[in-house]
Amino acid sequence: MQKIWFKITSNKSNPLYWPILAFLWIISLFYRLGFSLKMRFTSATIRTKAAVVSVGNLTVGGTGKTPMVIELARYFVLIGRKVGVVSSAYGRRHDKDIIGSGEELQSGSIFDLGDEVMVMAHALPEVSFGISKSKSNAARLLDNNNELDVIFVDDGFQHRRLHRDYDILLLEAGHDIRKDSVFPLGSLREPVDSIGRADAVIFTKTNFSPIQMEYREWVSRIMQDKILAEVGYFNENAISPDERLTIESLAERKVYFFAGIGGFDRLLNYLKTRFNNLAGHRQFPDHCSYPPSDAALIKNDIDKQGPEIVITTYKDFVKLRNFDFGRKIYYLDLKLGFTNGEKELLKALESVVNK
């Protein structure tokens, strides 16, 4: 379904799709109306003792929110702050509220936690996590059960009931949102002028696609004296439970790649520049739970194509690590590298947390 929607919304100039696009346009009007009413009549009634920082985006799909939450949370742990993370754990199968440290959650089920929380739990064992269908409820539970200095809200830009002290908005560098439309006619969760609500904008994945200068200047005018930063997302190693291989050492080997993530095509194009023999790949929907039928598709690809190395993302690896593909599966590590605005952003966040 996701592929069909993307194909339709990517071919707006094709007359064959116009009847469907007209229908999507009508739905998008109701979606926009509902969002406007939500913004007008929902207020931030829930406050916490800890400072609250949200990390979100304007689009459906991956702009790198979870890696950014990990990066910022890790920084505050390193400087001695007590850190919490709130998530609604998209894609999990149970709605029960969960409170616990990352170390405690590591032994939990992917179906209870969701893939993104499982990734964060392994990356941040000393951080306290609050998981609930309602992010504001998760923040309140976390705040009541822990003495925290700061709570990071994963995917919190559209959440209204929870008071935030600082809003970080991520924009993917290669995606000019001015050319996009509000869902479901496009991938926007809300109109582009919502950028002005943010305290800081970070252009992500700048190493995948460069930022067009005119687009950057447009965002800068909206942000005025607020913070504008840029960050690249880098993969340097392929990791299995018992081995770590550098990307350079795999450059000439026959590689097969699969993933169920937002922004799959942009990551695939980036990997093609790193692997000279990317022999095959398969895309799954974002947050794919990998039922046996999907795992069988991957195994069939591997058996037919005979790659030397099979690679995925860590978010996918945690869901498939116990499946027998007949060979070892590696996941890509992920490192963030700021090229602009890091010091200003961290200084602003420290000021918020230290109030």
Side-chain angles (χ1 to χ4, degrees):
M1 185 62 71
Q2 190 180 63
K3 287 184 178 180
I4 295 173
W5 169 78
F6 182 76
K7 184 176 181 179
I8 292 170
T9 56
S10 299
N11 288 275
K12 293 177 181 176
S13 61
N14 188 336
L16 292 175
Y17 294 105
W18 286 355
I20 302 175
L21 289 167
F23 177 67
L24 295 179
W25 177 76
I26 293 171
I27 298 177
S28 73
L29 290 180
F30 284 100
Y31 180 93
R32 187 188 289 259
L33 175 61
F35 176 79
S36 297
L37 292 173
K38 175 184 176 182
M39 294 293 290
R40 181 181 294 271
F41 295 109
T42 306
S43 58
T45 56
I46 295 178
R47 290 177 174 263
T48 58
K49 299 184 294 294
V52 174
V53 177
S54 83
V55 178
N57 63 6
L58 287 184
T59 56
V60 176
T63 53
K65 296 184 297 295
T66 299
M68 183 59 66
V69 169
I70 291 172
E71 184 77 5
L72 296 176
R74 186 176 282 150
Y75 171 79
F76 277 93
V77 169
L78 287 173
I79 64 172
R81 300 295 186 269
K82 295 180 180 179
V83 179
V85 170
V86 159
S87 175
S88 58
Y90 181 86
R92 66 183 182 136
R93 297 184 182 178
H94 307 290
D95 289 336
K96 65 180 180 181
D97 297 338
I98 298 174
I99 301 293
S101 69
E103 185 175 16
E104 291 168 340
L105 297 186
Q106 288 175 12
S107 60
S109 165
I110 194 76
F111 302 114
D112 290 334
L113 302 177
D115 49 14
E116 290 173 343
V117 171
M118 183 64 80
V119 168
M120 290 190 288
H122 280 271
L124 303 166
E126 59 278 269
V127 165
S128 300
F129 285 84
I131 305 167
S132 177
K133 190 174 182 179
S134 165
K135 293 184 178 74
S136 54
N137 184 54
R140 181 167 51 191
L141 289 171
L142 194 58
D143 196 54
N144 289 340
N145 286 274
N146 299 272
E147 292 292 331
L148 300 174
D149 297 307
V150 58
I151 296 173
F152 288 96
V153 185
D154 185 21
D155 196 13
F157 196 67
Q158 284 77 36
H159 192 76
R160 297 292 295 167
R161 293 184 62 218
L162 176 63
H163 169 79
R164 281 81 61 94
D165 297 279
Y166 205 83
D167 270 308
I168 299 172
L169 181 66
L170 306 186
L171 300 177
E172 193 167 339
H175 181 190
D176 188 339
I177 60 173
R178 296 173 300 175
K179 301 174 183 178
D180 208 340
S181 303
V182 173
F183 185 83
L185 188 61
S187 65
L188 292 177
R189 296 179 174 188
E190 51 182 301
V192 295
D193 58 7
S194 299
I195 290 176
R197 293 206 322 273
D199 297 296
V201 164
I202 304 176
F203 288 106
T204 65
K205 305 180 185 179
T206 54
N207 55 315
F208 288 14
S209 303
I211 310 168
Q212 296 300 315
M213 185 58 65
E214 194 270 331
Y215 175 42
R216 191 187 191 284
E217 290 175 350
W218 175 78
V219 174
S220 181
R221 286 194 299 271
I222 294 176
M223 294 298 290
Q224 296 182 2
D225 296 326
K226 298 178 182 178
I227 291 172
L228 200 59
E230 300 172 16
V231 64
Y233 284 33
F234 300 93
N235 307 108
E236 299 300 333
N237 299 283
I239 302 169
S240 74
D242 59 0
E243 190 175 19
R244 176 186 292 262
L245 304 174
T246 65
I247 298 298
E248 286 78 7
S249 70
L250 303 177
E252 303 299 330
R253 299 174 71 175
K254 189 176 181 180
V255 172
Y256 172 82
F257 172 70
F258 71 90
I261 57 170
F264 177 90
D265 290 336
R266 284 181 281 277
L267 176 56
L268 177 64
N269 290 334
Y270 169 71
L271 292 179
K272 286 178 179 178
T273 68
R274 304 298 306 275
F275 298 109
N276 298 326
N277 193 6
L278 190 60
H281 66 271
R282 185 176 288 274
Q283 178 181 4
F284 294 92
D286 194 13
H287 300 286
C288 177
S289 61
Y290 292 103
S293 57
D294 285 344
L297 288 174
I298 299 169
K299 189 174 189 311
N300 186 57
D301 286 347
I302 294 171
D303 292 341
K304 284 186 175 182
Q305 298 175 22
E308 296 178 71
I309 301 292
V310 179
I311 289 176
T312 187
T313 70
Y314 187 66
K315 189 169 83 168
D316 299 284
F317 178 83
V318 296
K319 289 178 280 192
L320 286 166
R321 55 189 168 185
N322 295 322
F323 189 89
D324 182 10
F325 290 103
R327 69 189 62 195
K328 191 182 297 185
I329 305 296
Y330 296 82
Y331 64 86
L332 295 165
D333 69 351
L334 182 60
K335 294 183 178 180
L336 275 62
F338 278 88
T339 56
N340 183 44
E342 180 182 20
K343 290 182 179 179
E344 294 83 356
L345 176 65
L346 294 179
K347 182 178 179 181
L349 290 175
E350 286 184 36
S351 177
V352 168
V353 173
N354 292 335
K355 278 185 178 179

